[in-house]
Every structure is written in structure tokens, then in C-alpha cells.
PDB file of all heavy atoms in Angstrom:
ATOM      1  N   MET A  11     -48.304  30.776  -9.509  1.00 93.00           N
ATOM      2  CA  MET A  11     -48.820  30.583 -10.860  1.00 93.00           C
ATOM      3  C   MET A  11     -50.341  30.579 -10.850  1.00 93.00           C
ATOM      4  O   MET A  11     -50.970  30.044  -9.956  1.00 93.00           O
ATOM      5  CB  MET A  11     -48.306  29.243 -11.402  1.00 93.00           C
ATOM      6  CG  MET A  11     -48.862  28.907 -12.778  1.00 93.00           C
ATOM      7  SD  MET A  11     -48.290  27.261 -13.275  1.00 93.00           S
ATOM      8  CE  MET A  11     -49.504  26.934 -14.567  1.00 93.00           C
ATOM      9  N   VAL A  12     -50.937  31.184 -11.830  1.00 95.00           N
ATOM     10  CA  VAL A  12     -52.391  31.198 -11.925  1.00 95.00           C
ATOM     11  C   VAL A  12     -52.828  30.468 -13.186  1.00 95.00           C
ATOM     12  O   VAL A  12     -52.081  30.384 -14.163  1.00 95.00           O
ATOM     13  CB  VAL A  12     -52.964  32.640 -11.937  1.00 95.00           C
ATOM     14  CG1 VAL A  12     -52.669  33.348 -10.632  1.00 95.00           C
ATOM     15  CG2 VAL A  12     -52.406  33.425 -13.113  1.00 95.00           C
ATOM     16  N   ILE A  13     -54.037  29.928 -13.129  1.00 94.00           N
ATOM     17  CA  ILE A  13     -54.606  29.271 -14.295  1.00 94.00           C
ATOM     18  C   ILE A  13     -55.930  29.949 -14.642  1.00 94.00           C
ATOM     19  O   ILE A  13     -56.573  30.527 -13.778  1.00 94.00           O
ATOM     20  CB  ILE A  13     -54.830  27.757 -14.047  1.00 94.00           C
ATOM     21  CG1 ILE A  13     -55.683  27.512 -12.797  1.00 94.00           C
ATOM     22  CG2 ILE A  13     -53.494  27.025 -13.931  1.00 94.00           C
ATOM     23  CD1 ILE A  13     -56.028  26.049 -12.575  1.00 94.00           C
ATOM     24  N   ALA A  14     -56.313  29.868 -15.912  1.00 95.00           N
ATOM     25  CA  ALA A  14     -57.567  30.483 -16.346  1.00 95.00           C
ATOM     26  C   ALA A  14     -58.652  29.423 -16.427  1.00 95.00           C
ATOM     27  O   ALA A  14     -58.454  28.363 -17.014  1.00 95.00           O
ATOM     28  CB  ALA A  14     -57.374  31.146 -17.701  1.00 95.00           C
ATOM     29  N   ILE A  15     -59.797  29.708 -15.827  1.00 95.00           N
ATOM     30  CA  ILE A  15     -60.947  28.814 -15.946  1.00 95.00           C
ATOM     31  C   ILE A  15     -62.117  29.638 -16.467  1.00 95.00           C
ATOM     32  O   ILE A  15     -62.175  30.843 -16.254  1.00 95.00           O
ATOM     33  CB  ILE A  15     -61.329  28.142 -14.613  1.00 95.00           C
ATOM     34  CG1 ILE A  15     -61.617  29.188 -13.536  1.00 95.00           C
ATOM     35  CG2 ILE A  15     -60.228  27.191 -14.168  1.00 95.00           C
ATOM     36  CD1 ILE A  15     -62.206  28.571 -12.273  1.00 95.00           C
ATOM     37  N   ARG A  16     -63.009  28.967 -17.150  1.00 96.00           N
ATOM     38  CA  ARG A  16     -64.140  29.696 -17.709  1.00 96.00           C
ATOM     39  C   ARG A  16     -65.415  29.351 -16.970  1.00 96.00           C
ATOM     40  O   ARG A  16     -65.679  28.186 -16.676  1.00 96.00           O
ATOM     41  CB  ARG A  16     -64.303  29.383 -19.196  1.00 96.00           C
ATOM     42  CG  ARG A  16     -65.301  30.320 -19.854  1.00 96.00           C
ATOM     43  CD  ARG A  16     -65.271  30.242 -21.345  1.00 96.00           C
ATOM     44  NE  ARG A  16     -65.741  28.934 -21.815  1.00 96.00           N
ATOM     45  CZ  ARG A  16     -66.011  28.655 -23.087  1.00 96.00           C
ATOM     46  NH1 ARG A  16     -65.807  29.562 -24.004  1.00 96.00           N
ATOM     47  NH2 ARG A  16     -66.432  27.476 -23.438  1.00 96.00           N
ATOM     48  N   CYS A  17     -66.206  30.353 -16.694  1.00 97.00           N
ATOM     49  CA  CYS A  17     -67.484  30.158 -16.040  1.00 97.00           C
ATOM     50  C   CYS A  17     -68.391  29.314 -16.943  1.00 97.00           C
ATOM     51  O   CYS A  17     -68.513  29.603 -18.128  1.00 97.00           O
ATOM     52  CB  CYS A  17     -68.122  31.517 -15.759  1.00 97.00           C
ATOM     53  SG  CYS A  17     -69.743  31.377 -14.975  1.00 97.00           S
ATOM     54  N   PRO A  18     -69.017  28.263 -16.395  1.00 96.00           N
ATOM     55  CA  PRO A  18     -69.864  27.389 -17.203  1.00 96.00           C
ATOM     56  C   PRO A  18     -71.255  27.954 -17.488  1.00 96.00           C
ATOM     57  O   PRO A  18     -71.986  27.378 -18.290  1.00 96.00           O
ATOM     58  CB  PRO A  18     -69.953  26.115 -16.350  1.00 96.00           C
ATOM     59  CG  PRO A  18     -69.830  26.612 -14.954  1.00 96.00           C
ATOM     60  CD  PRO A  18     -68.882  27.788 -15.015  1.00 96.00           C
ATOM     61  N   ALA A  19     -71.621  29.032 -16.856  1.00 97.00           N
ATOM     62  CA  ALA A  19     -72.958  29.584 -17.072  1.00 97.00           C
ATOM     63  C   ALA A  19     -73.076  30.144 -18.483  1.00 97.00           C
ATOM     64  O   ALA A  19     -72.260  30.966 -18.899  1.00 97.00           O
ATOM     65  CB  ALA A  19     -73.242  30.669 -16.038  1.00 97.00           C
ATOM     66  N   PRO A  20     -74.088  29.699 -19.244  1.00 97.00           N
ATOM     67  CA  PRO A  20     -74.230  30.141 -20.643  1.00 97.00           C
ATOM     68  C   PRO A  20     -74.295  31.651 -20.802  1.00 97.00           C
ATOM     69  O   PRO A  20     -73.821  32.184 -21.802  1.00 97.00           O
ATOM     70  CB  PRO A  20     -75.547  29.485 -21.090  1.00 97.00           C
ATOM     71  CG  PRO A  20     -75.701  28.296 -20.190  1.00 97.00           C
ATOM     72  CD  PRO A  20     -75.122  28.716 -18.866  1.00 97.00           C
ATOM     73  N   LYS A  21     -74.845  32.336 -19.834  1.00 96.00           N
ATOM     74  CA  LYS A  21     -74.989  33.789 -19.955  1.00 96.00           C
ATOM     75  C   LYS A  21     -73.753  34.540 -19.494  1.00 96.00           C
ATOM     76  O   LYS A  21     -73.692  35.761 -19.593  1.00 96.00           O
ATOM     77  CB  LYS A  21     -76.195  34.264 -19.139  1.00 96.00           C
ATOM     78  CG  LYS A  21     -77.518  33.836 -19.717  1.00 96.00           C
ATOM     79  CD  LYS A  21     -78.661  34.381 -18.849  1.00 96.00           C
ATOM     80  CE  LYS A  21     -80.025  33.975 -19.435  1.00 96.00           C
ATOM     81  NZ  LYS A  21     -81.137  34.420 -18.570  1.00 96.00           N
ATOM     82  N   CYS A  22     -72.785  33.811 -18.972  1.00 97.00           N
ATOM     83  CA  CYS A  22     -71.630  34.481 -18.388  1.00 97.00           C
ATOM     84  C   CYS A  22     -70.384  34.192 -19.205  1.00 97.00           C
ATOM     85  O   CYS A  22     -69.912  35.035 -19.952  1.00 97.00           O
ATOM     86  CB  CYS A  22     -71.482  34.021 -16.941  1.00 97.00           C
ATOM     87  SG  CYS A  22     -70.163  34.835 -16.051  1.00 97.00           S
ATOM     88  N   ARG A  23     -69.866  32.959 -19.061  1.00 97.00           N
ATOM     89  CA  ARG A  23     -68.710  32.527 -19.855  1.00 97.00           C
ATOM     90  C   ARG A  23     -67.472  33.399 -19.649  1.00 97.00           C
ATOM     91  O   ARG A  23     -66.624  33.478 -20.525  1.00 97.00           O
ATOM     92  CB  ARG A  23     -69.063  32.515 -21.345  1.00 97.00           C
ATOM     93  CG  ARG A  23     -70.195  31.575 -21.665  1.00 97.00           C
ATOM     94  CD  ARG A  23     -69.782  30.137 -21.474  1.00 97.00           C
ATOM     95  NE  ARG A  23     -70.345  29.292 -22.517  1.00 97.00           N
ATOM     96  CZ  ARG A  23     -70.250  27.971 -22.543  1.00 97.00           C
ATOM     97  NH1 ARG A  23     -69.637  27.349 -21.569  1.00 97.00           N
ATOM     98  NH2 ARG A  23     -70.737  27.282 -23.511  1.00 97.00           N
ATOM     99  N   LYS A  24     -67.389  34.032 -18.525  1.00 97.00           N
ATOM    100  CA  LYS A  24     -66.215  34.855 -18.262  1.00 97.00           C
ATOM    101  C   LYS A  24     -65.040  33.975 -17.852  1.00 97.00           C
ATOM    102  O   LYS A  24     -65.206  32.958 -17.201  1.00 97.00           O
ATOM    103  CB  LYS A  24     -66.505  35.859 -17.141  1.00 97.00           C
ATOM    104  CG  LYS A  24     -67.616  36.832 -17.449  1.00 97.00           C
ATOM    105  CD  LYS A  24     -67.257  37.758 -18.566  1.00 97.00           C
ATOM    106  CE  LYS A  24     -68.361  38.800 -18.764  1.00 97.00           C
ATOM    107  NZ  LYS A  24     -68.126  39.622 -19.973  1.00 97.00           N
ATOM    108  N   TYR A  25     -63.883  34.410 -18.232  1.00 96.00           N
ATOM    109  CA  TYR A  25     -62.673  33.734 -17.765  1.00 96.00           C
ATOM    110  C   TYR A  25     -62.255  34.338 -16.443  1.00 96.00           C
ATOM    111  O   TYR A  25     -62.335  35.548 -16.252  1.00 96.00           O
ATOM    112  CB  TYR A  25     -61.543  33.901 -18.778  1.00 96.00           C
ATOM    113  CG  TYR A  25     -61.634  32.915 -19.910  1.00 96.00           C
ATOM    114  CD1 TYR A  25     -62.195  33.285 -21.132  1.00 96.00           C
ATOM    115  CD2 TYR A  25     -61.157  31.609 -19.763  1.00 96.00           C
ATOM    116  CE1 TYR A  25     -62.282  32.376 -22.186  1.00 96.00           C
ATOM    117  CE2 TYR A  25     -61.239  30.703 -20.806  1.00 96.00           C
ATOM    118  CZ  TYR A  25     -61.800  31.086 -22.010  1.00 96.00           C
ATOM    119  OH  TYR A  25     -61.888  30.195 -23.039  1.00 96.00           O
ATOM    120  N   MET A  26     -61.809  33.462 -15.580  1.00 94.00           N
ATOM    121  CA  MET A  26     -61.292  33.936 -14.311  1.00 94.00           C
ATOM    122  C   MET A  26     -59.947  33.316 -14.036  1.00 94.00           C
ATOM    123  O   MET A  26     -59.675  32.192 -14.445  1.00 94.00           O
ATOM    124  CB  MET A  26     -62.252  33.574 -13.173  1.00 94.00           C
ATOM    125  CG  MET A  26     -63.170  34.720 -12.849  1.00 94.00           C
ATOM    126  SD  MET A  26     -64.587  34.107 -11.976  1.00 94.00           S
ATOM    127  CE  MET A  26     -65.286  33.090 -13.268  1.00 94.00           C
ATOM    128  N   LEU A  27     -59.108  34.058 -13.367  1.00 95.00           N
ATOM    129  CA  LEU A  27     -57.797  33.543 -13.004  1.00 95.00           C
ATOM    130  C   LEU A  27     -57.843  33.064 -11.561  1.00 95.00           C
ATOM    131  O   LEU A  27     -58.274  33.791 -10.676  1.00 95.00           O
ATOM    132  CB  LEU A  27     -56.734  34.641 -13.164  1.00 95.00           C
ATOM    133  CG  LEU A  27     -56.553  35.143 -14.592  1.00 95.00           C
ATOM    134  CD1 LEU A  27     -55.522  36.272 -14.609  1.00 95.00           C
ATOM    135  CD2 LEU A  27     -56.100  34.028 -15.525  1.00 95.00           C
ATOM    136  N   VAL A  28     -57.401  31.827 -11.370  1.00 95.00           N
ATOM    137  CA  VAL A  28     -57.364  31.276 -10.020  1.00 95.00           C
ATOM    138  C   VAL A  28     -55.968  30.735  -9.752  1.00 95.00           C
ATOM    139  O   VAL A  28     -55.224  30.401 -10.675  1.00 95.00           O
ATOM    140  CB  VAL A  28     -58.407  30.151  -9.841  1.00 95.00           C
ATOM    141  CG1 VAL A  28     -59.816  30.702 -10.024  1.00 95.00           C
ATOM    142  CG2 VAL A  28     -58.151  29.008 -10.803  1.00 95.00           C
ATOM    143  N   GLU A  29     -55.631  30.651  -8.508  1.00 95.00           N
ATOM    144  CA  GLU A  29     -54.331  30.104  -8.149  1.00 95.00           C
ATOM    145  C   GLU A  29     -54.277  28.612  -8.476  1.00 95.00           C
ATOM    146  O   GLU A  29     -55.214  27.873  -8.190  1.00 95.00           O
ATOM    147  CB  GLU A  29     -54.081  30.311  -6.651  1.00 95.00           C
ATOM    148  CG  GLU A  29     -53.806  31.756  -6.277  1.00 95.00           C
ATOM    149  CD  GLU A  29     -52.461  32.222  -6.787  1.00 95.00           C
ATOM    150  OE1 GLU A  29     -51.567  31.378  -6.994  1.00 95.00           O
ATOM    151  OE2 GLU A  29     -52.303  33.444  -6.979  1.00 95.00           O
ATOM    152  N   ALA A  30     -53.211  28.173  -9.063  1.00 95.00           N
ATOM    153  CA  ALA A  30     -53.056  26.758  -9.381  1.00 95.00           C
ATOM    154  C   ALA A  30     -53.109  25.903  -8.118  1.00 95.00           C
ATOM    155  O   ALA A  30     -53.509  24.746  -8.159  1.00 95.00           O
ATOM    156  CB  ALA A  30     -51.743  26.538 -10.114  1.00 95.00           C
ATOM    157  N   ALA A  31     -52.744  26.474  -7.010  1.00 96.00           N
ATOM    158  CA  ALA A  31     -52.785  25.752  -5.738  1.00 96.00           C
ATOM    159  C   ALA A  31     -54.213  25.425  -5.323  1.00 96.00           C
ATOM    160  O   ALA A  31     -54.430  24.589  -4.454  1.00 96.00           O
ATOM    161  CB  ALA A  31     -52.101  26.585  -4.652  1.00 96.00           C
ATOM    162  N   ASP A  32     -55.183  26.086  -5.935  1.00 95.00           N
ATOM    163  CA  ASP A  32     -56.584  25.854  -5.591  1.00 95.00           C
ATOM    164  C   ASP A  32     -57.237  24.774  -6.457  1.00 95.00           C
ATOM    165  O   ASP A  32     -58.444  24.584  -6.427  1.00 95.00           O
ATOM    166  CB  ASP A  32     -57.380  27.151  -5.723  1.00 95.00           C
ATOM    167  CG  ASP A  32     -57.087  28.115  -4.588  1.00 95.00           C
ATOM    168  OD1 ASP A  32     -56.646  27.655  -3.521  1.00 95.00           O
ATOM    169  OD2 ASP A  32     -57.293  29.325  -4.768  1.00 95.00           O
ATOM    170  N   ARG A  33     -56.433  24.068  -7.248  1.00 95.00           N
ATOM    171  CA  ARG A  33     -56.985  22.984  -8.053  1.00 95.00           C
ATOM    172  C   ARG A  33     -57.685  21.963  -7.169  1.00 95.00           C
ATOM    173  O   ARG A  33     -57.173  21.598  -6.115  1.00 95.00           O
ATOM    174  CB  ARG A  33     -55.873  22.289  -8.843  1.00 95.00           C
ATOM    175  CG  ARG A  33     -55.459  23.089 -10.058  1.00 95.00           C
ATOM    176  CD  ARG A  33     -54.287  22.435 -10.745  1.00 95.00           C
ATOM    177  NE  ARG A  33     -53.964  23.149 -11.984  1.00 95.00           N
ATOM    178  CZ  ARG A  33     -52.821  23.006 -12.640  1.00 95.00           C
ATOM    179  NH1 ARG A  33     -51.909  22.197 -12.187  1.00 95.00           N
ATOM    180  NH2 ARG A  33     -52.612  23.675 -13.743  1.00 95.00           N
ATOM    181  N   GLY A  34     -58.854  21.486  -7.658  1.00 95.00           N
ATOM    182  CA  GLY A  34     -59.617  20.522  -6.883  1.00 95.00           C
ATOM    183  C   GLY A  34     -60.625  21.194  -5.966  1.00 95.00           C
ATOM    184  O   GLY A  34     -61.499  20.549  -5.425  1.00 95.00           O
ATOM    185  N   LYS A  35     -60.493  22.499  -5.814  1.00 96.00           N
ATOM    186  CA  LYS A  35     -61.449  23.252  -4.998  1.00 96.00           C
ATOM    187  C   LYS A  35     -62.528  23.860  -5.897  1.00 96.00           C
ATOM    188  O   LYS A  35     -62.543  23.637  -7.101  1.00 96.00           O
ATOM    189  CB  LYS A  35     -60.727  24.363  -4.230  1.00 96.00           C
ATOM    190  CG  LYS A  35     -59.689  23.850  -3.245  1.00 96.00           C
ATOM    191  CD  LYS A  35     -59.038  25.018  -2.524  1.00 96.00           C
ATOM    192  CE  LYS A  35     -57.928  24.537  -1.588  1.00 96.00           C
ATOM    193  NZ  LYS A  35     -57.221  25.686  -0.966  1.00 96.00           N
ATOM    194  N   THR A  36     -63.391  24.618  -5.297  1.00 96.00           N
ATOM    195  CA  THR A  36     -64.450  25.272  -6.057  1.00 96.00           C
ATOM    196  C   THR A  36     -64.393  26.769  -5.794  1.00 96.00           C
ATOM    197  O   THR A  36     -64.206  27.197  -4.663  1.00 96.00           O
ATOM    198  CB  THR A  36     -65.826  24.725  -5.632  1.00 96.00           C
ATOM    199  OG1 THR A  36     -65.844  23.321  -5.865  1.00 96.00           O
ATOM    200  CG2 THR A  36     -66.938  25.371  -6.439  1.00 96.00           C
ATOM    201  N   VAL A  37     -64.512  27.537  -6.855  1.00 95.00           N
ATOM    202  CA  VAL A  37     -64.559  28.984  -6.686  1.00 95.00           C
ATOM    203  C   VAL A  37     -65.939  29.479  -7.103  1.00 95.00           C
ATOM    204  O   VAL A  37     -66.682  28.794  -7.805  1.00 95.00           O
ATOM    205  CB  VAL A  37     -63.479  29.701  -7.520  1.00 95.00           C
ATOM    206  CG1 VAL A  37     -62.098  29.352  -7.010  1.00 95.00           C
ATOM    207  CG2 VAL A  37     -63.625  29.360  -8.989  1.00 95.00           C
ATOM    208  N   THR A  38     -66.262  30.666  -6.688  1.00 96.00           N
ATOM    209  CA  THR A  38     -67.533  31.267  -7.061  1.00 96.00           C
ATOM    210  C   THR A  38     -67.284  32.357  -8.089  1.00 96.00           C
ATOM    211  O   THR A  38     -66.430  33.213  -7.895  1.00 96.00           O
ATOM    212  CB  THR A  38     -68.222  31.875  -5.829  1.00 96.00           C
ATOM    213  OG1 THR A  38     -68.398  30.845  -4.857  1.00 96.00           O
ATOM    214  CG2 THR A  38     -69.578  32.448  -6.202  1.00 96.00           C
ATOM    215  N   CYS A  39     -68.027  32.284  -9.185  1.00 96.00           N
ATOM    216  CA  CYS A  39     -67.893  33.302 -10.226  1.00 96.00           C
ATOM    217  C   CYS A  39     -68.196  34.675  -9.650  1.00 96.00           C
ATOM    218  O   CYS A  39     -69.218  34.864  -8.986  1.00 96.00           O
ATOM    219  CB  CYS A  39     -68.842  32.980 -11.379  1.00 96.00           C
ATOM    220  SG  CYS A  39     -68.797  34.234 -12.675  1.00 96.00           S
ATOM    221  N   LEU A  40     -67.311  35.621  -9.915  1.00 94.00           N
ATOM    222  CA  LEU A  40     -67.505  36.964  -9.374  1.00 94.00           C
ATOM    223  C   LEU A  40     -68.651  37.683 -10.068  1.00 94.00           C
ATOM    224  O   LEU A  40     -69.203  38.638  -9.544  1.00 94.00           O
ATOM    225  CB  LEU A  40     -66.210  37.775  -9.545  1.00 94.00           C
ATOM    226  CG  LEU A  40     -64.990  37.225  -8.810  1.00 94.00           C
ATOM    227  CD1 LEU A  40     -63.767  38.062  -9.153  1.00 94.00           C
ATOM    228  CD2 LEU A  40     -65.223  37.213  -7.317  1.00 94.00           C
ATOM    229  N   ILE A  41     -68.991  37.246 -11.266  1.00 96.00           N
ATOM    230  CA  ILE A  41     -70.012  37.927 -12.050  1.00 96.00           C
ATOM    231  C   ILE A  41     -71.401  37.387 -11.743  1.00 96.00           C
ATOM    232  O   ILE A  41     -72.311  38.134 -11.428  1.00 96.00           O
ATOM    233  CB  ILE A  41     -69.723  37.765 -13.562  1.00 96.00           C
ATOM    234  CG1 ILE A  41     -68.268  38.116 -13.874  1.00 96.00           C
ATOM    235  CG2 ILE A  41     -70.696  38.609 -14.380  1.00 96.00           C
ATOM    236  CD1 ILE A  41     -67.863  39.528 -13.536  1.00 96.00           C
ATOM    237  N   CYS A  42     -71.560  36.054 -11.853  1.00 97.00           N
ATOM    238  CA  CYS A  42     -72.899  35.474 -11.726  1.00 97.00           C
ATOM    239  C   CYS A  42     -73.057  34.588 -10.497  1.00 97.00           C
ATOM    240  O   CYS A  42     -74.115  34.020 -10.286  1.00 97.00           O
ATOM    241  CB  CYS A  42     -73.241  34.703 -12.997  1.00 97.00           C
ATOM    242  SG  CYS A  42     -72.250  33.205 -13.221  1.00 97.00           S
ATOM    243  N   LYS A  43     -72.007  34.451  -9.729  1.00 97.00           N
ATOM    244  CA  LYS A  43     -72.059  33.736  -8.449  1.00 97.00           C
ATOM    245  C   LYS A  43     -72.242  32.229  -8.549  1.00 97.00           C
ATOM    246  O   LYS A  43     -72.546  31.576  -7.565  1.00 97.00           O
ATOM    247  CB  LYS A  43     -73.176  34.313  -7.541  1.00 97.00           C
ATOM    248  CG  LYS A  43     -73.168  35.813  -7.435  1.00 97.00           C
ATOM    249  CD  LYS A  43     -71.875  36.333  -6.871  1.00 97.00           C
ATOM    250  CE  LYS A  43     -71.945  37.852  -6.670  1.00 97.00           C
ATOM    251  NZ  LYS A  43     -70.646  38.413  -6.326  1.00 97.00           N
ATOM    252  N   VAL A  44     -72.091  31.678  -9.731  1.00 97.00           N
ATOM    253  CA  VAL A  44     -72.210  30.238  -9.871  1.00 97.00           C
ATOM    254  C   VAL A  44     -70.931  29.583  -9.329  1.00 97.00           C
ATOM    255  O   VAL A  44     -69.858  30.185  -9.366  1.00 97.00           O
ATOM    256  CB  VAL A  44     -72.458  29.847 -11.347  1.00 97.00           C
ATOM    257  CG1 VAL A  44     -71.182  29.914 -12.169  1.00 97.00           C
ATOM    258  CG2 VAL A  44     -73.043  28.450 -11.427  1.00 97.00           C
ATOM    259  N   ALA A  45     -71.075  28.366  -8.824  1.00 97.00           N
ATOM    260  CA  ALA A  45     -69.907  27.646  -8.319  1.00 97.00           C
ATOM    261  C   ALA A  45     -69.185  26.971  -9.474  1.00 97.00           C
ATOM    262  O   ALA A  45     -69.793  26.310 -10.309  1.00 97.00           O
ATOM    263  CB  ALA A  45     -70.352  26.606  -7.303  1.00 97.00           C
ATOM    264  N   ILE A  46     -67.880  27.162  -9.508  1.00 96.00           N
ATOM    265  CA  ILE A  46     -67.082  26.603 -10.591  1.00 96.00           C
ATOM    266  C   ILE A  46     -66.019  25.688  -9.997  1.00 96.00           C
ATOM    267  O   ILE A  46     -65.153  26.142  -9.263  1.00 96.00           O
ATOM    268  CB  ILE A  46     -66.372  27.710 -11.391  1.00 96.00           C
ATOM    269  CG1 ILE A  46     -67.365  28.791 -11.811  1.00 96.00           C
ATOM    270  CG2 ILE A  46     -65.654  27.116 -12.606  1.00 96.00           C
ATOM    271  CD1 ILE A  46     -66.669  30.015 -12.378  1.00 96.00           C
ATOM    272  N   PRO A  47     -66.084  24.396 -10.320  1.00 95.00           N
ATOM    273  CA  PRO A  47     -65.027  23.495  -9.852  1.00 95.00           C
ATOM    274  C   PRO A  47     -63.757  23.734 -10.664  1.00 95.00           C
ATOM    275  O   PRO A  47     -63.801  23.845 -11.892  1.00 95.00           O
ATOM    276  CB  PRO A  47     -65.598  22.103 -10.098  1.00 95.00           C
ATOM    277  CG  PRO A  47     -66.607  22.278 -11.176  1.00 95.00           C
ATOM    278  CD  PRO A  47     -67.130  23.684 -11.063  1.00 95.00           C
ATOM    279  N   ILE A  48     -62.646  23.799  -9.973  1.00 95.00           N
ATOM    280  CA  ILE A  48     -61.370  23.998 -10.664  1.00 95.00           C
ATOM    281  C   ILE A  48     -60.827  22.627 -11.032  1.00 95.00           C
ATOM    282  O   ILE A  48     -60.639  21.789 -10.158  1.00 95.00           O
ATOM    283  CB  ILE A  48     -60.371  24.731  -9.762  1.00 95.00           C
ATOM    284  CG1 ILE A  48     -60.973  26.048  -9.267  1.00 95.00           C
ATOM    285  CG2 ILE A  48     -59.063  24.973 -10.503  1.00 95.00           C
ATOM    286  CD1 ILE A  48     -60.116  26.729  -8.215  1.00 95.00           C
ATOM    287  N   PRO A  49     -60.616  22.378 -12.324  1.00 90.00           N
ATOM    288  CA  PRO A  49     -60.114  21.057 -12.732  1.00 90.00           C
ATOM    289  C   PRO A  49     -58.741  20.766 -12.148  1.00 90.00           C
ATOM    290  O   PRO A  49     -57.934  21.668 -11.921  1.00 90.00           O
ATOM    291  CB  PRO A  49     -60.077  21.149 -14.256  1.00 90.00           C
ATOM    292  CG  PRO A  49     -60.039  22.599 -14.561  1.00 90.00           C
ATOM    293  CD  PRO A  49     -60.772  23.285 -13.455  1.00 90.00           C
ATOM    294  N   ALA A  50     -58.497  19.490 -11.928  1.00 87.00           N
ATOM    295  CA  ALA A  50     -57.250  19.090 -11.282  1.00 87.00           C
ATOM    296  C   ALA A  50     -56.036  19.401 -12.151  1.00 87.00           C
ATOM    297  O   ALA A  50     -54.943  19.593 -11.655  1.00 87.00           O
ATOM    298  CB  ALA A  50     -57.299  17.609 -10.942  1.00 87.00           C
ATOM    299  N   LYS A  51     -56.217  19.415 -13.457  1.00 74.00           N
ATOM    300  CA  LYS A  51     -55.098  19.763 -14.338  1.00 74.00           C
ATOM    301  C   LYS A  51     -55.577  20.328 -15.658  1.00 74.00           C
ATOM    302  O   LYS A  51     -56.784  20.310 -15.888  1.00 74.00           O
ATOM    303  CB  LYS A  51     -54.206  18.546 -14.589  1.00 74.00           C
ATOM    304  CG  LYS A  51     -54.893  17.411 -15.325  1.00 74.00           C
ATOM    305  CD  LYS A  51     -53.917  16.288 -15.596  1.00 74.00           C
ATOM    306  CE  LYS A  51     -52.889  16.635 -16.658  1.00 74.00           C
ATOM    307  NZ  LYS A  51     -52.071  15.457 -16.998  1.00 74.00           N
TER     308      LYS A  51
HETATM  309 ZN1   ZN B 594     -70.163  33.481 -14.248  1.00 94.12          ZN
END
């Protein structure tokens, strides 16, 4: 299962799909390279 998270960067705001198993981890936005924490739920 995947969940959608949104990039917090004001100039980006892209949605990205991440694996639900990665909750609690941090991913890097593919567009602007900012670190995005994946919410626990
Ligand atoms: Zn971004």
C-alpha cells in the first residue's frame, strides 16, 4: 500500500507516493530535494 505525501516546500508542493511501510522515516523530494518526514498516520 502506498500513501500520498505533499512536499512542504512552497515552490514545490508536489505530491509523492511513498510506501506505507516507510512511515516515520524521511524521504527526499525528487523535484526539489528537500527532506520530507513521513507522518506516522
Ligand atoms: Zn519538493
Side-chain angles (χ1 to χ4, degrees):
M11 176 184 162
V12 296
I13 55 175
I15 57 171
R16 191 168 67 169
C17 179
K21 290 181 179 177
C22 184
R23 300 292 219 186
K24 299 294 185 188
Y25 278 98
M26 264 160 295
L27 297 177
V28 297
E29 288 290 335
D32 286 337
R33 282 175 175 164
K35 297 181 184 175
T36 301
V37 294
T38 302
C39 177
L40 298 176
I41 311 300
C42 69
K43 312 300 185 189
V44 77
I46 309 170
I48 305 172
K51 64 177 289 187

